[in-house]
């Protein structure tokens, strides 16, 4: 089956042929690839293709250890926290795995007013959040972009005491180049869009109608975003719709395409698995379920292959799986999430999918600290223009760690002073005391200590 006209740069036949005719690599070859990976320069996509076929438990354990080493060497023990903000569950698509699908007549629909958006932000800020992912269904028609920009303006302008949202990432329907230019002018962080599945026949089957049914327009959204000047983009796969091995190989083709055309791949990769959603029968029985072992392999391979790319794990996963994923290369997590419009200040509207982790942000942070990771609300790179190629220029020689850890410490200190429970404050301050000693540059370490003292006295938003 050749579908190049419909599938663009995703070469299905090449992937089919590889999966059908390639045997798993020998131990010596796996060890050689992992040794190469530990040089922190990434591995070739051809090497990733070989690791993808590894099924041996002992070799998988070596892959996991390598992913953990790479993540710690590049980013240290920090985990960035954010919350999704759903502003509308109106949708014209009929995605068979999603609770927002247009044919779901049982779902209570809602689009937040700007005042309601502000109420949601007040609730999130009062919990300690500094970063949000703005999410909307595809049902607002021609006014969607205008509404999104008004929401962004409202979010940035809403303050609660010492708190505010400092970075807004956006997950909305694909736009034209002109639309993406307007989104960039609104000062977003990352534009995020999931292909869901790169497998064309499956894509058409699970997106039977609506704007999203256009595979190629959806696939090329990141091209238009880059052309519009947005240099931080996030991609993702909804695992469970098709064979995960095909999906990873197709994702590599997508990354290769972006690097060839624009000199830059995605800033983040999200790895959600299908979770049950009311009104979406397929979500209860995914056609290609991904086991926990396979899921861990996916995360580890992505960290090894694209070591400087953020890997995002949502509250779809259980606390137990999230704990395991931290050591495999995950660098960003959501916390205290709701997937329905108004979910932080009320619970009237229907949700997109079920959550696996229902803990509060403070409970998540306490758990993260117990595991030896430092929670981060850092927005320094984004606000100082260290994005896109500028970010990679710092990341690849290992310099980004000089900013990540100090910014994690200062933003976490803000959380401890302003929002944390007594138990979290105690364990958090002990963690900060230990982490300061891990800052390799003496002057930056000294400046971090001074920033912490200033934060204790009431100053905020001090970053490197």
């Amino acid at each position: 089956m050749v579908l190049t006209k419909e599938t663009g740069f995703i070469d299905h036949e090449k992937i089919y042929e590889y999966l059908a005719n390639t045997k798993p690599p020998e131990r010596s070859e796996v060890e050689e690839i992992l040794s190469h990976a530990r040089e922190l320069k990434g591995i070739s996509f051809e090497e990733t293709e070989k690791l993808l076929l590894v099924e041996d438990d002992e070799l998988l354990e070596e892959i996991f250890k390598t992913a953990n080493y790479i993540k710690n060497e590049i980013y240290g023990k920090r985990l960035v926290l954010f919350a999704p903000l759903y502003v509308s569950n109106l949708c014209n698509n009929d995605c068979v795995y999603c609770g927002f699908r247009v044919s779901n007549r049982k779902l209570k629909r809602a689009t937040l007013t700007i005042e309601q958006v502000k109420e949601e932000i007040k609730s999130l800020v009062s919990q300690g959040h500094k970063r949000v992912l703005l999410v909307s269904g595809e049902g607002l028609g021609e006014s969607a972009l205008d509404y999104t920009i008004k929401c962004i303006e409202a979010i940035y302008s809403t303050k609660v005491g010492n708190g505010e949202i400092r970075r807004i990432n956006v997950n909305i329907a694909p736009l034209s180049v002109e639309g993406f230019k307007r989104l960039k002018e609104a000062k977003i962080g990352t534009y995020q869009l999931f292909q869901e599945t790169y497998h064309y026949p499956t894509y058409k089957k699970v997106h039977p109608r609506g704007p999203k049914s256009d595979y190629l327009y959806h696939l090329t959204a990141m091209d238009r975003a880059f052309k519009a000047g947005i240099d931080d983009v996030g991609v993702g796969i909804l695992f469970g719709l098709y064979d995960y091995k095909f999906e990873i190989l197709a994702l590599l083709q997508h990354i290769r395409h972006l690097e060839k055309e624009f000199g830059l791949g995605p800033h983040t990769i999200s790895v959600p698995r299908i979770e049950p959603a009311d009104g979406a029968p397929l979500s209860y029985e995914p056609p290609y379920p991904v086991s926990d072992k396979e899921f861990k392999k996916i995360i580890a391979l992505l960290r090894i292959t694209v070591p400087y790319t953020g890997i995002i794990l949502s509250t779809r996963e259980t606390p137990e799986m999230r704990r395991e994923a931290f050591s495999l290369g995950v660098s960003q997590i959501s916390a205290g999430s709701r997937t329905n419009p108004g979910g932080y200040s009320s619970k009237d509207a229907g949700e997109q999918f079920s959550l696996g982790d229902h803990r509060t942000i403070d409970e998540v942070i306490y758990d993260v600290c117990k595991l030896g990771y430092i929670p981060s609300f850092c927005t320094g790179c984004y606000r100082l223009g260290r994005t896109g190629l500028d970010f990679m220029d710092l990341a690849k020689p290992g310099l980004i760690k000089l900013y990540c850890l100090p910014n994690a410490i200062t933003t976490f200190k803000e959380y401890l002073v302003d929002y944390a429970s007594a138990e979290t404050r105690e364990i958090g301050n002990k963690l900060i005391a230990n982490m300061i000693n891990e800052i390799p540059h003496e002057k930056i370490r000294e400046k971090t200590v001074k920033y912490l003292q200033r934060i204790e006295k009431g100053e905020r938003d001090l970053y490197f």
Side-chain angles (χ1 to χ4, degrees), residues 309-326:
T309 298
I311 299 177
I312 300 176
L313 189 69
S314 75
T315 45
R316 287 173 181 261
E317 298 297 333
T318 64
E320 293 75 21
M321 176 51 67
R322 278 156 64 91
R323 293 184 190 107
E324 291 191 61
F326 298 162

Side-chain angles (χ1 to χ4, degrees), residues 357-384:
D357 188 347
H358 298 271
R359 295 174 298 171
T360 66
I361 181 175
D362 195 76
E363 290 170 331
V364 171
I365 287 175
Y366 182 83
D367 194 40
V368 166
C369 292
K370 279 180 62 179
L371 294 169
Y373 296 93
I374 184 159
S376 174
F377 299 88
C378 172
T379 58
C381 285
Y382 154 69
R383 295 161 75 200
L384 291 171

